[in-house]
Amino acid sequence: MLTNALPTKIDVANLRKSFATDKGTLAVVDDVSLQVGEGEFIAIVGPSGCGKSTLMRMIAGFIPPDSGQVVIDGATRLQPSPQGILISQHGSVFPWLTVQQNLMFGLNGTQSMSEKIAIADHYANIVGLKGFEAAYPHELSGGMLKRVEIARALAVKPAILYMDEPFSALDALMSLRMRNELLKILGQERHTVLLITHDVEEAIHLADRVMVLSPRPTRIQATFEVKLPHPRKLTSPEVQRLRMAILKELGVDADAVA
Ligand SMILES: Nc1ncnc2c1ncn2[C@@H]1O[C@H](COP(=O)(O)OP(=O)(O)OP(=O)(O)O)[C@@H](O)[C@H]1O
């Protein structure tokens, strides 16, 4: 049980990971432990190349840790599960399928075709793609493609959403819109979310807790609770104070970016 009384969804204990490279062993993750509550939204920020993606991929079960363990719903995680969906920065929408077919892709065989279509159309609507169900990816903008990807992930109702810089390829306006859409969706359907971002404002906008990772080999350097109700006003003094404190942890001269 976490201090805020949410049942523990993800329990990460003493994860370590090194990679063998041409130049020898590269220690990437150094003894990371964290607990995530059911329905909690955690943002992870850290210096470039510190090991954020490696940490998330271990938690999601895509790569095995050298030591330590990941327990999800009380069971040790050894491989990826359909319960957890990873949305990456590169995107993975299938170019040969329409929006509707992409959204139906991950749905399992227990639903009839008409049920699958209804689910796909519901999520297309939620992310503002109504009317584009028959369009192919090449007919969509970058922001729309990102929305297809998020809708596809949500359509399978994953218990956990792993998001690795999902909005980093978008322009600032579209990124802000996507954050608001995500918050809207999470207001309707609760998911546990782990988000990697390099954008401190995005972390504070979305998350219940922001974890700051150290340079490689990475550890959890600091944790910030964001106890602000949604919708959050990004220009508020509380948000600005948190932003300064997190930037300071990251070694950025906060006065220079104020
Ligand atoms: N499979 C691998 N083999 C060897 N080195 C790897 C492998 N995967 C990651 N690395 C190295 O581990 C380090 C951390 O990479 P990772 O992608 O986890 O960092 P990151 O914090 O997510 O980076 P960024 O901020 O640039 O997205 C990097 O130096 C990377 O080159």
Side-chain angles (χ1 to χ4, degrees), residues 136-159:
Y136 282 90
H138 72 266
E139 299 171 284
L140 306 178
S141 71
M144 290 162 101
L145 280 176
K146 207 75 232 174
R147 283 186 268 163
V148 174
E149 196 171 358
I150 290 174
R152 190 177 60 181
L154 292 167
V156 299
K157 294 198 180 296

PDB file of all heavy atoms in Angstrom, residues 136-159:
ATOM      1  N   TYR A 136      -6.246   6.730 -44.501  1.00  0.00           N
ATOM      2  CA  TYR A 136      -4.981   6.006 -44.296  1.00  0.00           C
ATOM      3  C   TYR A 136      -3.983   6.941 -43.634  1.00  0.00           C
ATOM      4  O   TYR A 136      -4.073   8.177 -43.791  1.00  0.00           O
ATOM      5  CB  TYR A 136      -4.444   5.496 -45.642  1.00  0.00           C
ATOM      6  CG  TYR A 136      -5.179   4.260 -46.114  1.00  0.00           C
ATOM      7  CD1 TYR A 136      -6.311   4.369 -46.903  1.00  0.00           C
ATOM      8  CD2 TYR A 136      -4.750   2.993 -45.712  1.00  0.00           C
ATOM      9  CE1 TYR A 136      -7.016   3.239 -47.305  1.00  0.00           C
ATOM     10  CE2 TYR A 136      -5.445   1.851 -46.112  1.00  0.00           C
ATOM     11  CZ  TYR A 136      -6.571   1.979 -46.905  1.00  0.00           C
ATOM     12  OH  TYR A 136      -7.266   0.863 -47.276  1.00  0.00           O
ATOM     13  N   PRO A 137      -3.000   6.371 -42.907  1.00  0.00           N
ATOM     14  CA  PRO A 137      -2.042   7.216 -42.197  1.00  0.00           C
ATOM     15  C   PRO A 137      -1.393   8.311 -43.036  1.00  0.00           C
ATOM     16  O   PRO A 137      -1.203   9.427 -42.558  1.00  0.00           O
ATOM     17  CB  PRO A 137      -1.018   6.201 -41.687  1.00  0.00           C
ATOM     18  CG  PRO A 137      -1.859   4.986 -41.418  1.00  0.00           C
ATOM     19  CD  PRO A 137      -2.859   4.958 -42.542  1.00  0.00           C
ATOM     20  N   HIS A 138      -1.079   8.030 -44.315  1.00  0.00           N
ATOM     21  CA  HIS A 138      -0.398   9.062 -45.113  1.00  0.00           C
ATOM     22  C   HIS A 138      -1.297  10.278 -45.373  1.00  0.00           C
ATOM     23  O   HIS A 138      -0.821  11.324 -45.803  1.00  0.00           O
ATOM     24  CB  HIS A 138       0.143   8.473 -46.435  1.00  0.00           C
ATOM     25  CG  HIS A 138      -0.931   8.147 -47.427  1.00  0.00           C
ATOM     26  ND1 HIS A 138      -1.494   6.894 -47.521  1.00  0.00           N
ATOM     27  CD2 HIS A 138      -1.558   8.910 -48.358  1.00  0.00           C
ATOM     28  CE1 HIS A 138      -2.425   6.907 -48.465  1.00  0.00           C
ATOM     29  NE2 HIS A 138      -2.475   8.118 -48.999  1.00  0.00           N
ATOM     30  N   GLU A 139      -2.587  10.115 -45.105  1.00  0.00           N
ATOM     31  CA  GLU A 139      -3.518  11.241 -45.315  1.00  0.00           C
ATOM     32  C   GLU A 139      -3.671  12.095 -44.057  1.00  0.00           C
ATOM     33  O   GLU A 139      -4.430  13.054 -44.041  1.00  0.00           O
ATOM     34  CB  GLU A 139      -4.905  10.706 -45.711  1.00  0.00           C
ATOM     35  CG  GLU A 139      -4.879   9.898 -47.004  1.00  0.00           C
ATOM     36  CD  GLU A 139      -6.211   9.200 -47.276  1.00  0.00           C
ATOM     37  OE1 GLU A 139      -6.506   8.178 -46.630  1.00  0.00           O
ATOM     38  OE2 GLU A 139      -6.957   9.706 -48.130  1.00  0.00           O
ATOM     39  N   LEU A 140      -2.965  11.714 -42.987  1.00  0.00           N
ATOM     40  CA  LEU A 140      -3.136  12.399 -41.700  1.00  0.00           C
ATOM     41  C   LEU A 140      -1.907  13.230 -41.351  1.00  0.00           C
ATOM     42  O   LEU A 140      -0.797  12.945 -41.803  1.00  0.00           O
ATOM     43  CB  LEU A 140      -3.360  11.367 -40.579  1.00  0.00           C
ATOM     44  CG  LEU A 140      -4.496  10.365 -40.787  1.00  0.00           C
ATOM     45  CD1 LEU A 140      -4.543   9.384 -39.612  1.00  0.00           C
ATOM     46  CD2 LEU A 140      -5.836  11.070 -40.937  1.00  0.00           C
ATOM     47  N   SER A 141      -2.128  14.236 -40.489  1.00  0.00           N
ATOM     48  CA  SER A 141      -0.997  15.039 -40.002  1.00  0.00           C
ATOM     49  C   SER A 141      -0.286  14.276 -38.883  1.00  0.00           C
ATOM     50  O   SER A 141      -0.803  13.276 -38.366  1.00  0.00           O
ATOM     51  CB  SER A 141      -1.524  16.365 -39.459  1.00  0.00           C
ATOM     52  OG  SER A 141      -2.224  16.127 -38.251  1.00  0.00           O
ATOM     53  N   GLY A 142       0.876  14.778 -38.488  1.00  0.00           N
ATOM     54  CA  GLY A 142       1.644  14.136 -37.413  1.00  0.00           C
ATOM     55  C   GLY A 142       0.840  14.049 -36.117  1.00  0.00           C
ATOM     56  O   GLY A 142       0.857  13.031 -35.427  1.00  0.00           O
ATOM     57  N   GLY A 143       0.112  15.127 -35.811  1.00  0.00           N
ATOM     58  CA  GLY A 143      -0.687  15.143 -34.585  1.00  0.00           C
ATOM     59  C   GLY A 143      -1.816  14.130 -34.642  1.00  0.00           C
ATOM     60  O   GLY A 143      -2.135  13.470 -33.657  1.00  0.00           O
ATOM     61  N   MET A 144      -2.414  13.985 -35.827  1.00  0.00           N
ATOM     62  CA  MET A 144      -3.505  13.012 -35.968  1.00  0.00           C
ATOM     63  C   MET A 144      -2.967  11.588 -35.827  1.00  0.00           C
ATOM     64  O   MET A 144      -3.590  10.739 -35.199  1.00  0.00           O
ATOM     65  CB  MET A 144      -4.200  13.197 -37.325  1.00  0.00           C
ATOM     66  CG  MET A 144      -4.997  14.485 -37.411  1.00  0.00           C
ATOM     67  SD  MET A 144      -5.318  14.882 -39.130  1.00  0.00           S
ATOM     68  CE  MET A 144      -6.989  14.325 -39.281  1.00  0.00           C
ATOM     69  N   LEU A 145      -1.778  11.356 -36.379  1.00  0.00           N
ATOM     70  CA  LEU A 145      -1.181  10.023 -36.271  1.00  0.00           C
ATOM     71  C   LEU A 145      -0.940   9.663 -34.812  1.00  0.00           C
ATOM     72  O   LEU A 145      -1.164   8.536 -34.381  1.00  0.00           O
ATOM     73  CB  LEU A 145       0.163   9.986 -37.004  1.00  0.00           C
ATOM     74  CG  LEU A 145       0.106   9.838 -38.508  1.00  0.00           C
ATOM     75  CD1 LEU A 145       1.506   9.912 -39.095  1.00  0.00           C
ATOM     76  CD2 LEU A 145      -0.552   8.517 -38.879  1.00  0.00           C
ATOM     77  N   LYS A 146      -0.456  10.657 -34.060  1.00  0.00           N
ATOM     78  CA  LYS A 146      -0.198  10.428 -32.640  1.00  0.00           C
ATOM     79  C   LYS A 146      -1.500  10.079 -31.929  1.00  0.00           C
ATOM     80  O   LYS A 146      -1.549   9.227 -31.051  1.00  0.00           O
ATOM     81  CB  LYS A 146       0.405  11.705 -32.046  1.00  0.00           C
ATOM     82  CG  LYS A 146       1.281  11.500 -30.875  1.00  0.00           C
ATOM     83  CD  LYS A 146       2.614  10.954 -31.282  1.00  0.00           C
ATOM     84  CE  LYS A 146       2.999   9.733 -30.537  1.00  0.00           C
ATOM     85  NZ  LYS A 146       4.205   9.110 -30.984  1.00  0.00           N
ATOM     86  N   ARG A 147      -2.574  10.764 -32.354  1.00  0.00           N
ATOM     87  CA  ARG A 147      -3.869  10.496 -31.727  1.00  0.00           C
ATOM     88  C   ARG A 147      -4.370   9.094 -32.081  1.00  0.00           C
ATOM     89  O   ARG A 147      -4.982   8.431 -31.255  1.00  0.00           O
ATOM     90  CB  ARG A 147      -4.890  11.556 -32.145  1.00  0.00           C
ATOM     91  CG  ARG A 147      -4.664  12.848 -31.382  1.00  0.00           C
ATOM     92  CD  ARG A 147      -5.733  13.837 -31.666  1.00  0.00           C
ATOM     93  NE  ARG A 147      -5.362  14.711 -32.766  1.00  0.00           N
ATOM     94  CZ  ARG A 147      -6.215  15.464 -33.446  1.00  0.00           C
ATOM     95  NH1 ARG A 147      -7.493  15.419 -33.166  1.00  0.00           N
ATOM     96  NH2 ARG A 147      -5.782  16.246 -34.396  1.00  0.00           N
ATOM     97  N   VAL A 148      -4.085   8.644 -33.319  1.00  0.00           N
ATOM     98  CA  VAL A 148      -4.464   7.274 -33.700  1.00  0.00           C
ATOM     99  C   VAL A 148      -3.743   6.300 -32.767  1.00  0.00           C
ATOM    100  O   VAL A 148      -4.335   5.350 -32.242  1.00  0.00           O
ATOM    101  CB  VAL A 148      -4.072   6.953 -35.162  1.00  0.00           C
ATOM    102  CG1 VAL A 148      -4.346   5.490 -35.488  1.00  0.00           C
ATOM    103  CG2 VAL A 148      -4.807   7.860 -36.139  1.00  0.00           C
ATOM    104  N   GLU A 149      -2.472   6.597 -32.540  1.00  0.00           N
ATOM    105  CA  GLU A 149      -1.687   5.676 -31.720  1.00  0.00           C
ATOM    106  C   GLU A 149      -2.216   5.608 -30.283  1.00  0.00           C
ATOM    107  O   GLU A 149      -2.337   4.544 -29.683  1.00  0.00           O
ATOM    108  CB  GLU A 149      -0.233   6.125 -31.715  1.00  0.00           C
ATOM    109  CG  GLU A 149       0.634   5.034 -31.241  1.00  0.00           C
ATOM    110  CD  GLU A 149       2.094   5.362 -31.427  1.00  0.00           C
ATOM    111  OE1 GLU A 149       2.395   6.431 -31.960  1.00  0.00           O
ATOM    112  OE2 GLU A 149       2.908   4.544 -31.026  1.00  0.00           O
ATOM    113  N   ILE A 150      -2.546   6.787 -29.749  1.00  0.00           N
ATOM    114  CA  ILE A 150      -3.058   6.819 -28.372  1.00  0.00           C
ATOM    115  C   ILE A 150      -4.431   6.143 -28.314  1.00  0.00           C
ATOM    116  O   ILE A 150      -4.705   5.357 -27.403  1.00  0.00           O
ATOM    117  CB  ILE A 150      -3.078   8.269 -27.858  1.00  0.00           C
ATOM    118  CG1 ILE A 150      -1.622   8.712 -27.667  1.00  0.00           C
ATOM    119  CG2 ILE A 150      -3.865   8.407 -26.562  1.00  0.00           C
ATOM    120  CD1 ILE A 150      -1.432  10.151 -27.296  1.00  0.00           C
ATOM    121  N   ALA A 151      -5.266   6.414 -29.309  1.00  0.00           N
ATOM    122  CA  ALA A 151      -6.594   5.784 -29.334  1.00  0.00           C
ATOM    123  C   ALA A 151      -6.460   4.268 -29.444  1.00  0.00           C
ATOM    124  O   ALA A 151      -7.192   3.521 -28.797  1.00  0.00           O
ATOM    125  CB  ALA A 151      -7.408   6.332 -30.511  1.00  0.00           C
ATOM    126  N   ARG A 152      -5.516   3.813 -30.255  1.00  0.00           N
ATOM    127  CA  ARG A 152      -5.333   2.368 -30.421  1.00  0.00           C
ATOM    128  C   ARG A 152      -4.911   1.727 -29.098  1.00  0.00           C
ATOM    129  O   ARG A 152      -5.346   0.638 -28.740  1.00  0.00           O
ATOM    130  CB  ARG A 152      -4.290   2.089 -31.504  1.00  0.00           C
ATOM    131  CG  ARG A 152      -4.250   0.620 -31.873  1.00  0.00           C
ATOM    132  CD  ARG A 152      -3.286   0.344 -32.986  1.00  0.00           C
ATOM    133  NE  ARG A 152      -1.931   0.722 -32.613  1.00  0.00           N
ATOM    134  CZ  ARG A 152      -0.890   0.603 -33.406  1.00  0.00           C
ATOM    135  NH1 ARG A 152      -1.043   0.152 -34.629  1.00  0.00           N
ATOM    136  NH2 ARG A 152       0.301   0.949 -33.003  1.00  0.00           N
ATOM    137  N   ALA A 153      -4.025   2.437 -28.383  1.00  0.00           N
ATOM    138  CA  ALA A 153      -3.587   1.915 -27.089  1.00  0.00           C
ATOM    139  C   ALA A 153      -4.762   1.870 -26.110  1.00  0.00           C
ATOM    140  O   ALA A 153      -4.964   0.891 -25.396  1.00  0.00           O
ATOM    141  CB  ALA A 153      -2.465   2.783 -26.525  1.00  0.00           C
ATOM    142  N   LEU A 154      -5.574   2.942 -26.110  1.00  0.00           N
ATOM    143  CA  LEU A 154      -6.687   3.012 -25.152  1.00  0.00           C
ATOM    144  C   LEU A 154      -7.794   2.010 -25.484  1.00  0.00           C
ATOM    145  O   LEU A 154      -8.469   1.516 -24.587  1.00  0.00           O
ATOM    146  CB  LEU A 154      -7.268   4.427 -25.135  1.00  0.00           C
ATOM    147  CG  LEU A 154      -6.344   5.490 -24.543  1.00  0.00           C
ATOM    148  CD1 LEU A 154      -6.875   6.879 -24.860  1.00  0.00           C
ATOM    149  CD2 LEU A 154      -6.190   5.312 -23.039  1.00  0.00           C
ATOM    150  N   ALA A 155      -7.949   1.710 -26.789  1.00  0.00           N
ATOM    151  CA  ALA A 155      -9.048   0.827 -27.205  1.00  0.00           C
ATOM    152  C   ALA A 155      -8.934  -0.559 -26.579  1.00  0.00           C
ATOM    153  O   ALA A 155      -9.948  -1.219 -26.358  1.00  0.00           O
ATOM    154  CB  ALA A 155      -9.080   0.719 -28.729  1.00  0.00           C
ATOM    155  N   VAL A 156      -7.719  -0.983 -26.281  1.00  0.00           N
ATOM    156  CA  VAL A 156      -7.576  -2.317 -25.671  1.00  0.00           C
ATOM    157  C   VAL A 156      -7.687  -2.230 -24.142  1.00  0.00           C
ATOM    158  O   VAL A 156      -7.490  -3.214 -23.453  1.00  0.00           O
ATOM    159  CB  VAL A 156      -6.268  -3.035 -26.085  1.00  0.00           C
ATOM    160  CG1 VAL A 156      -6.231  -3.256 -27.570  1.00  0.00           C
ATOM    161  CG2 VAL A 156      -5.038  -2.283 -25.622  1.00  0.00           C
ATOM    162  N   LYS A 157      -8.024  -1.040 -23.646  1.00  0.00           N
ATOM    163  CA  LYS A 157      -8.199  -0.796 -22.218  1.00  0.00           C
ATOM    164  C   LYS A 157      -7.050  -1.355 -21.383  1.00  0.00           C
ATOM    165  O   LYS A 157      -7.252  -2.215 -20.520  1.00  0.00           O
ATOM    166  CB  LYS A 157      -9.527  -1.387 -21.733  1.00  0.00           C
ATOM    167  CG  LYS A 157     -10.742  -0.708 -22.323  1.00  0.00           C
ATOM    168  CD  LYS A 157     -11.974  -1.018 -21.505  1.00  0.00           C
ATOM    169  CE  LYS A 157     -13.197  -0.360 -22.072  1.00  0.00           C
ATOM    170  NZ  LYS A 157     -13.158   1.095 -22.043  1.00  0.00           N
ATOM    171  N   PRO A 158      -5.836  -0.882 -21.654  1.00  0.00           N
ATOM    172  CA  PRO A 158      -4.714  -1.414 -20.893  1.00  0.00           C
ATOM    173  C   PRO A 158      -4.775  -0.936 -19.449  1.00  0.00           C
ATOM    174  O   PRO A 158      -5.162   0.208 -19.186  1.00  0.00           O
ATOM    175  CB  PRO A 158      -3.499  -0.810 -21.601  1.00  0.00           C
ATOM    176  CG  PRO A 158      -3.998   0.472 -22.162  1.00  0.00           C
ATOM    177  CD  PRO A 158      -5.442   0.233 -22.528  1.00  0.00           C
ATOM    178  N   ALA A 159      -4.401  -1.804 -18.547  1.00  0.00           N
ATOM    179  CA  ALA A 159      -4.360  -1.392 -17.145  1.00  0.00           C
ATOM    180  C   ALA A 159      -3.240  -0.367 -16.961  1.00  0.00           C
ATOM    181  O   ALA A 159      -3.345   0.539 -16.150  1.00  0.00           O
ATOM    182  CB  ALA A 159      -4.136  -2.612 -16.265  1.00  0.00           C
TER     183      ALA A 159
END
